[in-house]
Amino acid sequence: MRLRGSFAMPGCDADPAVLGWARRYTRHPKQFESQLQAVLPRLVYVQKVAEDYDVAGEFVLLPWVESHFRPIAARKHRPAGMWQLMPVTAGSLGLRVDRHYDGRLDVRASANAVMKLLEQYHKQFGDWRTVDYAYNAGEFAIRKAIRLHGAPPDQPTIPTLPVRKVTREHLTKLLAIACVVREPDRFNVSLPTLPGEQHLVQADVPHAMSMAQAADRAGMTLDALKRLNGAFGSNTIDTAAASYLMMPAAHARRFSDALPELADSNDDNGLLQATAADAPAISSTSDQSERRIHTVKRGDSLWQIARTYAVSVDQLKRWNHLGKHSLKPGQTLQISAPN
């Protein structure tokens, strides 16, 4: 496994607590293997980013310690994402965090931001163990501790800097999961592999579209695509926030191949930026207040139609007595005059 070759910190027998946590992780070998297999696409992607920044391989496993690689959704003033970043920390790393988009849940953006941070910490401290302390306790706290007590020696493996117990345990856990990867046979587990077609890649999204449309073009379920792209706060891909989606390589190729067809078939239904010349034909009644009729085409959504006519989705639903039912090609919708 290439990851082992990038490890830079002590191994399994460096501290009894490390071995203890490694055994705890693998208490149920089959369950551990299943959990690792489920998160492998994210892990492999993070590994590539870590290599770009020349960050020690142990930190590829940092999201295991933080969240088991789960894309934990944000709650007010709470950490989020697989890296468990606080909003203020995310902002300092250049990640956008608001109700429309949360970069902590963006696999690509968050991985690059964290690896860049770890690279900077290592340039400052010169010790990967201290880098982990800084990630957990904060750069300024560790800088102050080193200023008062000096840089930690090579021994013991878990530095005795005056930090909280949870910070020491954080490093112990990181070394423990790395220990399992180093010596899987020792813990009766087999490490899974990931076929190339399942590797996560970036698929460029040149036009605004709904998540459902993107999932359909990529041949994925909507839930699967959302799990990999939880940063978007709605069902619409905001290309101003991120003009890409993360998806397995096989699905990314299918999505890319479908883009020309998508542009051709939807040029007049809101997927591309509408112009006056592109506006759908309207029919007027003799009523004093102008009314419009839109005939639904294949691929139309309420959001697209609303954007085209500069009205809201709620207005469309109210004017046409729509519930949660899907639109059907040929269906006509009543549209009020634009503001």
Side-chain angles (χ1 to χ4, degrees):
M1 189 175 186
R2 193 170 83 240
L3 182 58
R4 296 189 195 110
S6 63
F7 286 164
M9 287 189 277
C12 296
D13 298 309
D15 188 287
V18 171
L19 200 56
W21 267 103
R23 287 176 174 146
R24 188 179 303 188
Y25 282 140
T26 56
R27 185 180 296 129
H28 304 290
K30 294 302 179 185
Q31 181 180 349
F32 173 81
E33 291 171 3
S34 177
Q35 291 173 336
L36 195 58
Q37 181 72 62
V39 304
L40 201 55
R42 290 174 182 266
L43 190 157
V44 170
Y45 183 81
V46 171
Q47 180 182 349
K48 294 176 182 177
V49 179
E51 290 173 349
D52 290 341
Y53 287 90
D54 200 23
V55 169
E58 287 91 345
F59 289 95
V60 172
L61 304 166
L62 182 57
W64 180 276
V65 177
E66 292 290 339
S67 66
H68 278 223
F69 281 88
R70 291 174 297 160
I72 297 174
R75 290 183 294 169
K76 190 174 183 180
H77 306 307
R78 299 290 295 172
M82 63 181 179
W83 302 98
Q84 285 294 273
L85 297 172
M86 292 292 288
V88 65
T89 304
S92 71
L93 297 178
L95 295 174
R96 173 179 165 182
V97 177
D98 55 42
R99 66 188 182 90
H100 300 293
Y101 187 83
D102 191 335
R104 296 174 294 176
L105 298 170
D106 183 321
V107 174
R108 174 184 176 273
S110 63
N112 277 275
V114 169
M115 289 302 162
K116 183 177 180 180
L117 178 68
L118 297 175
E119 177 192 41
Q120 292 170 350
Y121 282 170
H122 190 251
K123 288 179 180 178
Q124 179 179 170
F125 299 118
D127 183 333
W128 288 115
R129 300 170 304 159
T130 312
V131 168
D132 185 75
Y133 272 17
Y135 186 85
N136 181 260
E139 172 191 355
F140 299 109
I142 300 306
R143 187 191 300 169
K144 179 180 179 180
I146 291 175
R147 186 173 66 250
L148 295 176
H149 303 278
D154 292 341
Q155 294 297 329
T157 296
I158 308 300
T160 56
L161 284 173
V163 296
R164 295 176 303 161
K165 178 183 177 181
V166 69
T167 299
R168 269 191 285 274
E169 191 171 78
H170 189 275
L171 176 59
T172 303
K173 290 177 179 179
L174 183 64
L175 295 179
I177 186 62
C179 163
V180 177
V181 173
R182 281 181 191 270
E183 303 181 48
D185 293 344
R186 185 171 183 173
F187 305 96
N188 299 311
V189 298
S190 297
L191 300 181
T193 58
L194 190 70
E197 64 183 13
Q198 294 179 25
H199 285 213
L200 288 185
V201 298
Q202 173 183 321
D204 292 336
V205 181
H207 316 297
M209 66 181 72
S210 70
M211 277 285 187
Q213 288 175 314
D216 180 61
R217 268 61 182 190
M220 300 175 65
T221 66
L222 179 57
D223 285 345
L225 186 64
K226 283 185 173 182
R227 280 196 298 272
L228 291 173
N229 299 277
F232 295 102
S234 70
N235 290 321
T236 301
I237 301 164
D238 180 3
T239 54
S243 58
Y244 57 83
L245 293 169
M246 299 301 295
M247 57 182 71
H251 294 287
R253 286 193 296 270
R254 179 168 174 175
F255 177 77
S256 180
D257 290 343
L259 282 178
E261 172 192 343
L262 187 66
D264 291 342
S265 63
N266 292 285
D267 194 28
D268 64 346
N269 70 10
L271 279 182
L272 303 182
Q273 188 66 36
T275 65
D278 294 327
I282 60 173
S283 61
S284 299
T285 67
S286 57
D287 192 275
Q288 290 263 338
S289 62
E290 182 187 10
R291 295 286 179 181
R292 300 186 183 190
I293 297 294
H294 176 89
T295 302
V296 177
K297 303 179 182 64
R298 187 175 66 85
D300 272 1
S301 72
L302 283 176
W303 176 83
Q304 296 158 4
I305 298 168
R307 191 179 73 165
T308 299
Y309 291 100
V311 297
S312 72
V313 171
D314 287 340
Q315 286 173 315
L316 284 178
K317 287 182 177 181
R318 186 170 67 252
W319 295 329
N320 294 278
H321 309 290
L322 298 175
K324 296 183 179 180
H325 301 294
S326 300
L327 298 179
K328 297 179 181 179
Q331 179 180 357
T332 57
L333 298 179
Q334 188 71 51
I335 310 218
S336 75
N339 292 332

